[in-house]
Amino acid sequence: MLHHNANARRGRYDDSLREILNIQAADESRAWLSTWEGLNAGSTPLWDLPDLAARLRVGSISVKDESNRSALGSFKALGAPIALIRLIRRLWPDQDFVPAKLTAGHYKALLQDFTVISATDGNHGRALAAAARSIGCKCVIVLHRHVNDERRVAIEQLGAQIVQIEGNYDESVKEVARRAGEHGWHVVSDTSYDGYETIPRDVMQGYGTIAAEAIEQRDKGSYTHVFIQGGVGGLAAGVVSYFAEHDGDRRPQCVIVEPGQADCLFQSAVQGQAARATGSVDSIMAGLACGEASPLAWHFLHVLADVFITIPDDAAIEAMRIFAAGSERDVPIVAGESGAAGLAGLIQVAGSAEDRAALGLGMESNVLLLNTEGATAPELYRQLTGLRADDVLETQQRWLGQQKRL
């Protein structure tokens, strides 16, 4: 299903938006994160997939591979840590905490009784737990019943206290608020709600790193389209706002991709305001299984997202397999179920003459996809693709070796 956003605009980046998300703060966040040992050094790869581009009849397909961002395996490693750094600096303004020293644990003695809490579908909680361990504070993560056991164990191994509930993601958010109020803990969430916008803003600002790197790495001219995973909207807002400020009226068309049963952003576009999903919110794309749009993220997507589409779960699974298979000219890529959603959306649009025309998608198009996660749940990845993630990575290394010899 596809919906055009009649409110989307191009041109000069609005000052009211710049006051919230801007390139200066995004680049500062990027510099601070570059010193954290929890991230791999340098930019994540931008893979070119010429065979897939030819198959889908577009000019080029570039994939920003966030599975390489850190051992955590997802883009969330950019959001939670920077939000935690900025929160601590706000709470202790007289301490003048140095970000690089914070993430290196220099202030552990001062922060050992400080506790943060968050709900998660897996990746945000894992990133927050990793950052809290580095900094030396305590971390509590609330998981709902749909979170895969592999993801729970991964968070526990980072030292976080786990609380599990029977409800869905939105109910875990409510449980976080209750426990934070009861114990005096600080919520570090990637979704906003009434009276809670500063930390989600910081999370989104961290995601601007992805756009900054993609702009630096592009060598085929400007991107014409970027397909971005939905969720609550934070990733999309952080990325497209950076493009909008940097590129102005030449910014790429922003296409938001969501599971059909977790269509909160699609419904927001239809209703013209931050809205709830209409489905069960029970998707194999766990990172996108969100029932309610972030109002702060929607503030940006309302005017910067051009198209909203929904996809079925089996489309994401097929996209995972396509990424993994690679080809003679396309590098094999490990993409988790949410990480492959952008490709699934592109395939869906590319297969419809009407949708292609509506998006202006053709042989002059330079498409950017975001692989937002690798095999963050390895056994689930094997079940869905029939492949071991380690085997795909070995094939990737052989492919890269062959390219060097050519």
Side-chain angles (χ1 to χ4, degrees):
M1 191 176 297
L2 182 150
H3 178 83
H4 264 279
N5 179 17
N7 296 301
R9 59 178 185 245
R10 312 182 81 79
R12 183 175 176 273
Y13 188 56
D14 192 274
D15 288 341
S16 65
L17 300 179
R18 186 182 287 106
E19 289 177 0
I20 305 170
L21 294 179
N22 57 76
I23 285 177
Q24 181 180 355
D27 289 348
E28 179 184 61
S29 298
R30 181 184 179 187
W32 288 358
L33 288 168
S34 69
T35 65
W36 181 38
E37 64 178 10
L39 297 181
N40 296 326
S43 301
T44 55
L46 183 73
W47 305 118
D48 183 34
L49 304 183
D51 284 342
L52 185 57
R55 170 182 161 186
L56 298 181
R57 293 179 291 124
V58 297
S60 69
I61 296 176
S62 301
V63 182
K64 190 75 171 121
D65 192 356
E66 291 300 299
S67 71
N68 286 268
R69 181 64 65 183
S70 74
L72 305 177
S74 91
F75 78 100
K76 295 284 188 175
L78 295 170
I82 202 66
L84 183 52
I85 291 169
R86 291 189 182 277
L87 171 62
I88 291 171
R89 283 167 59 87
R90 282 194 300 271
L91 291 174
W92 283 276
D94 296 334
Q95 290 288 342
D96 194 25
F97 287 132
V98 178
K101 290 185 177 180
L102 261 176
T103 53
H106 284 245
Y107 309 108
K108 284 184 177 181
L110 288 171
L111 299 171
Q112 60 182 341
D113 295 323
F114 176 64
T115 302
V116 292
I117 184 172
S118 184
T120 188
D121 285 308
N123 291 335
H124 173 75
R126 193 174 177 186
L128 182 60
R133 184 175 68 171
S134 294
I135 288 171
C137 62
K138 296 176 181 176
C139 180
V140 179
I141 298 297
V142 178
L143 304 177
H144 58 87
R145 60 186 172 90
H146 298 303
V147 175
N148 182 279
D149 280 344
E150 289 182 285
R151 294 190 170 98
R152 173 185 58 78
V153 171
I155 296 170
E156 285 180 326
Q157 289 175 342
L158 289 167
Q161 175 187 338
I162 301 295
V163 175
Q164 289 201 281
I165 65 166
E166 286 299 313
N168 59 22
Y169 175 79
D170 296 315
E171 289 166 326
S172 65
V173 170
K174 295 175 184 176
E175 179 64 14
V176 164
R178 187 189 71 78
R179 287 177 179 259
E182 179 180 343
H183 299 288
W185 297 339
H186 290 266
V187 179
V188 180
S189 174
D190 56 354
T191 187
S192 68
Y193 45 85
D194 187 30
Y196 184 81
E197 293 188 338
T198 300
I199 289 174
R201 176 207 65 195
D202 295 338
V203 170
M204 292 190 295
Q205 201 77 82
Y207 299 155
T209 293
I210 299 171
E213 291 180 1
I215 289 169
E216 292 171 355
Q217 293 168 313
R218 65 187 178 189
D219 61 2
K220 295 181 180 299
S222 298
Y223 304 111
T224 60
H225 301 76
V226 54
F227 284 69
I228 310 180
Q229 288 83 338
V232 299
L235 169 65
V239 169
V240 74
S241 64
Y242 198 104
F243 274 116
E245 184 175 359
H246 187 276
D247 290 353
D249 59 5
R250 294 178 60 83
R251 71 165 177 81
Q253 285 197 59
C254 175
V255 183
I256 305 297
V257 184
E258 297 176 286
Q261 64 271 49
D263 60 346
C264 60
L265 296 176
F266 186 98
Q267 293 302 322
S268 298
V270 171
Q271 298 175 36
Q273 61 183 3
R276 295 189 61 83
T278 56
S280 64
V281 197
D282 182 12
S283 170
I284 195 68
M285 294 169 270
L288 307 182
C290 305
E292 190 167 356
S294 167
L296 182 62
W298 180 247
H299 183 65
F300 288 83
L301 300 182
H302 176 60
V303 293
L304 297 178
D306 300 280
V307 174
F308 295 80
I309 62 176
T310 60
I311 59 171
D313 280 4
D314 58 3
I317 296 170
E318 178 59 22
M320 293 170 68
R321 294 169 179 162
I322 291 170
F323 268 140
S327 69
E328 182 179 352
R329 295 190 298 164
D330 292 359
V331 61
I333 298 171
V334 175
E337 56 278 13
S338 295
L343 174 57
L346 172 60
I347 292 171
Q348 179 172 291
V349 169
S352 164
E354 181 180 356
D355 290 349
R356 290 179 70 93
L359 268 69
L361 194 67
M363 295 307 297
E364 301 301 317
S365 301
N366 297 319
V367 179
L368 175 65
L369 303 177
L370 309 182
N371 176 25
T372 54
E373 64 172 6
T376 53
E379 179 55 27
L380 178 61
Y381 180 88
R382 188 194 64 76
Q383 292 173 10
L384 296 177
T385 65
L387 301 166
R388 293 177 64 252
D390 286 346
D391 292 340
V392 177
L393 290 174
E394 287 181 10
T395 304
Q396 180 186 94
Q397 290 305 307
R398 287 196 299 271
W399 186 96
L400 292 171
Q402 291 171 356
Q403 295 303 303
K404 288 181 180 179
R405 291 191 291 271
L406 294 179

